[in-house]
Amino acid sequence: MSAPFVLLHPFAPFPLARRTRWLWLGVAALALLLIAAAGQWSARREASFQADSIHRAIEVHALALRGAAAKYSYLPFTVAQHPDVLAALAHPFDPAVLQRANHYIEEVNRRAGSDALYLIAPQGTTLVASNWNTPRSYVGQSYANRPYFSDALAGRNGQFYGVGQTTGEPGLFLSAPVRQGAEVVGVVTVKVSLQPIQEAWGFVRDPILLTDAHGIVFLGSVLPWLYQSRRAVAGSDLDWVLSHQQYGAHHSFALLPWKMDPAPDLPGFRVQTTIDGKPRQFLAVDEALPELGWTLTVMADYASVTRARERTWMLGLLCAGLLLLGGLYWQLRERRFAEQRDARRELEVRVRERTAELDEAHAFRKAMEDSLVVGMRARDLDGHIIYVNPALCAMTGYRADELLGRLPPYPYWHPDDVEQHWHNNDATMSGQAALSGFESRVRHRDGHDVLTMVYTARLIDAQGQHSGWMSTVVDITEQKRSALRQRQHEEQLQHAQRLASLGEMASTLAHELNQPLAALSNFASAAKAFAEQGRQELLVSSLDETAAQAQRAAEIVRRIRGFVRQRTAGQEDCVVGALVANVLALLQGEMRQQQARAVVRVPADLPKVRGDRVLLEQVLLNLVLNSLQAMQATPLERRVVEIDATVADGRLHIQVADHGPGIPAALAEQVFAPFFTTKPDGLGLGLNICRTIVESHRGRFTFADRVGGGTVFTLELEVSG
């Protein structure tokens, strides 16, 4: 009876092992399916976020485009009502009438800020234009082939985007009919540039483009895509574009280098393309602008969707691996359960020891938090304060028991900044607080102000749930004071340099003032003599000369006072020619005393620069003074200061050159060092302060040897936007 049992016993475990193996395989397959599904869900979720972001961007860009068109839509109709415009159409061959209309339209265009404004006769020839006195004037040009002209001539308001036939520059053309009773007798058109919008798009990370009704890209952030088409342009569409010369010299429109795929469950479509030689994939959404006849396309990088899917897969595989290890551990634990029964007591001892260690670690962490000099504050989801450390209590002057449990408004909120405190509190509670933190002014209990920097992060409990917010509060009061002292120190150094420059001109200033004062005395004596003789005409002439000399003396004093004053005017748009003229006017006496002259090559049409006029004049004055002093040993015929201004690579370059001995190579590296000078009575601050001023204007200040002898100093500044 025992033989069958002995034979079957060795094979008894095999069916159980086989079932366990199949169970593990089933669990692994299910885990892989769940991981794949989770990856797809993560990708769809990321793509949905991208679509929402694109829709928000579309709203902003569409509003800007509509605003650019609507801003000037009233202008053609308004100008069409003016008597001078109607008179020009009634008398198209009267030069005086046309000139009045030219001046009127030029002034309206200047005040409105549009690119161009012009009046077209019914035959299509321009009679009057805001650029009538420029080389590329519209006057005499025919625009009969333009749609905006034919629409307005038919009594409708016209709208058309294209490249200008005369200037070759693209723009949006808006037109309105000029009516004489029920008859259309002419067309008024305004040209508006969309270049500022394209320049703004250039700073956007992902592509944005605008296409017309034929699918041709005429505005966008990716310049190689301009004048390419989303679909083939041929037949009547191409004939229409060419007959109206919509895009100037562009007669064919290649297809965009896109491969487009549908995006299931998402608005828009996927685009595969190459930008700057790199393959890219985007999620693109189109938005029709029917009132403009355009289509706005905004894209977002699709790579983040792929990364989200891959991250989820990796995390799922990691979790599956951990679960597998846990299962193996559990199986091993079950197999050895009997062996561990005797060790359970020892394990309980170890648990108690571990608990004691955790208590000690908690106490250590508490002591460490209490010793921090940075304030810590924890709040629950309703805004109750649930934890503060001693540093925050010292920062606000309130004890922990006075703060715990409090809801906003908190007692340390500054009474003058309550609205800002509420704004910061709402942003934090909604999870929209900036990761870079925000500044906040609080009121200490004793009444003094404390400037802080607040950084907030989510507070996660032991179950992994979001339970509140933890804020780090840094006292930056002393840092702010140091920054203020530094700015005051820099202003004092600049003021000291201006006074030093003024001291160098003191003798010349006395000579400059002596001349008008001596002239005042002579003319006053002459006026008295003419009055006694009854010579009325000569008396009036002498008094006029007296007033002129008094004005000259006042102008000299005004310039010196404006240069020496401690406070500057601040940021403004500065004309380079005016800066140079003011500096040379201040140095007239110095140049006359040095028997030197200035050669100025500053074109009148240079763009303005944005900056502090007084500080920029200080830089130029220091450079011209240095040039004059460097040429004291130069022959008289070569004592020339050359001042040039040009525009290169979108930046303004101002050069001041002299004919002196130049800067020795051994001293070149020390030129900009503070307190370094080769003058016996110099402070050694001039060039150092000049470089500080130029760099504060986001510019560059350099020097080089001049060909033929001398030194050239170059200021490179940004032009006004």
Side-chain angles (χ1 to χ4, degrees), residues 332-519:
L332 181 63
R333 180 179 179 277
E334 287 296 318
R335 184 179 299 172
R336 296 181 180 178
F337 181 76
E339 300 175 2
Q340 294 176 350
R341 185 178 303 166
D342 296 337
R344 191 172 299 170
R345 187 174 302 169
E346 181 183 356
L347 180 61
E348 292 175 355
V349 173
R350 291 182 180 179
V351 168
R352 286 195 295 270
E353 293 175 351
R354 182 58 179 164
T355 302
E357 292 175 359
L358 289 175
D359 291 340
E360 183 179 353
H362 176 73
F364 175 75
R365 187 189 66 184
K366 181 79 167 55
M368 184 173 61
E369 291 174 356
D370 292 345
S371 65
L372 289 175
V373 297
V374 175
M376 304 290 292
R377 177 192 65 196
R379 293 181 289 178
D380 62 17
L381 295 175
D382 295 325
H384 294 93
I385 296 179
I386 58 177
Y387 168 77
V388 291
N389 71 339
L392 184 70
C393 295
M395 202 177 297
T396 61
Y398 292 91
R399 300 190 308 273
D401 61 321
E402 295 176 308
L403 296 177
L404 293 178
R406 294 291 297 267
L407 281 168
Y410 303 125
Y412 50 79
W413 277 10
H414 199 285
D416 296 337
D417 298 342
V418 171
E419 183 177 353
Q420 184 62 37
H421 283 300
W422 276 115
H423 173 76
N424 293 336
N425 181 78
D426 294 341
T428 299
M429 291 295 105
S430 61
Q432 298 176 355
L435 296 178
S436 58
F438 58 86
E439 289 191 19
S440 178
R441 181 173 61 159
V442 301
R443 176 64 61 83
H444 192 275
R445 189 170 195 167
D446 64 9
H448 74 271
D449 293 346
V450 179
L451 300 178
T452 65
M453 195 72 185
V454 182
Y455 305 89
T456 302
R458 289 175 177 263
L459 189 63
I460 307 300
D461 62 14
Q463 288 73 38
Q465 300 296 318
H466 176 208
S467 61
W469 305 94
M470 174 62 76
S471 297
T472 303
V473 185
V474 183
D475 187 345
I476 60 171
T477 306
E478 186 58 34
Q479 176 184 346
K480 288 287 187 179
R481 290 174 181 167
S482 298
L484 178 60
R485 287 194 297 267
Q486 179 65 24
R487 287 196 301 271
Q488 292 174 344
H489 178 65
E490 291 177 357
E491 290 179 358
Q492 291 170 357
L493 281 178
Q494 295 167 4
H495 183 59
Q497 178 59 27
R498 288 200 294 273
L499 291 178
S501 300
L502 182 62
E504 296 178 2
M505 297 187 298
S507 61
T508 305
L509 174 61
H511 178 69
E512 286 292 306
L513 287 175
N514 280 335
Q515 289 183 358
L517 291 176

Side-chain angles (χ1 to χ4, degrees), residues 40-303:
Q40 291 302 112
W41 175 85
S42 179
R44 285 196 299 271
R45 180 171 177 270
E46 180 66 23
S48 179
F49 287 158
Q50 280 196 348
D52 291 342
S53 176
I54 289 175
H55 281 300
R56 289 193 296 271
I58 283 176
E59 292 176 1
V60 174
H61 297 311
L63 182 61
L65 289 169
R66 291 187 178 104
K71 181 179 179 181
Y72 298 99
S73 59
Y74 74 94
L75 198 57
F77 174 78
T78 303
V79 172
Q81 314 304 314
H82 197 272
D84 288 345
V85 173
L86 296 173
L89 290 169
H91 305 282
F93 301 105
D94 189 333
V97 172
L98 295 179
Q99 191 65 7
R100 284 197 302 273
N102 275 325
H103 286 297
Y104 164 70
I105 283 186
E106 179 183 16
E107 179 63 16
V108 171
N109 183 72
R110 184 186 66 80
R111 289 180 178 272
S114 50
D115 272 21
L117 185 63
Y118 50 102
L119 172 66
I120 308 175
Q123 296 78 18
T125 303
T126 303
L127 293 177
V128 177
S130 59
N131 60 357
W132 61 273
N133 60 346
T134 64
R136 294 193 291 181
S137 171
Y138 294 173
V139 175
Q141 301 292 332
S142 175
Y143 300 113
N145 64 323
R146 290 295 199 173
Y148 64 81
F149 171 76
S150 55
D151 287 344
L153 200 61
R156 303 183 299 272
N157 289 336
Q159 178 179 294
F160 175 73
Y161 183 90
V163 175
Q165 294 182 176
T166 303
T167 63
E169 297 175 356
L172 176 62
F173 297 86
L174 305 172
S175 64
V178 182
R179 300 180 186 274
Q180 190 73 38
E183 181 185 0
V184 176
V185 296
V187 175
V188 175
T189 305
V190 62
K191 180 181 180 182
V192 182
S193 175
L194 298 185
Q195 186 65 23
I197 293 179
Q198 176 157 325
E199 291 175 355
W201 288 356
F203 295 99
V204 179
R205 180 183 58 184
D206 295 324
I208 303 173
L209 57 139
L210 202 60
T211 55
D212 62 12
H214 307 292
I216 299 173
V217 179
F218 63 88
L219 205 68
S221 60
V222 182
L223 297 183
W225 292 354
L226 291 180
Y227 305 117
Q228 295 187 1
S229 178
R230 292 179 59 172
R231 59 179 182 270
V233 181
S236 58
D237 289 343
L238 182 59
D239 293 340
W240 190 92
V241 172
L242 298 182
S243 64
H244 294 97
Q245 299 182 28
Q246 184 172 8
Y247 297 118
H250 296 277
H251 300 297
S252 61
F253 305 95
L255 291 176
L256 284 165
W258 292 0
K259 179 182 178 183
M260 294 185 290
D261 299 312
D265 303 327
L266 289 174
F269 51 93
R270 289 199 301 267
V271 173
Q272 297 181 29
T273 185
T274 301
I275 298 179
D276 297 332
K278 298 179 180 178
R280 301 287 299 276
Q281 187 174 11
F282 299 97
L283 175 64
V285 177
D286 290 338
E287 177 73 12
L289 307 176
E291 70 277 17
L292 299 174
W294 303 336
T295 299
L296 175 65
T297 303
V298 178
M299 299 184 182
D301 195 345
Y302 201 75

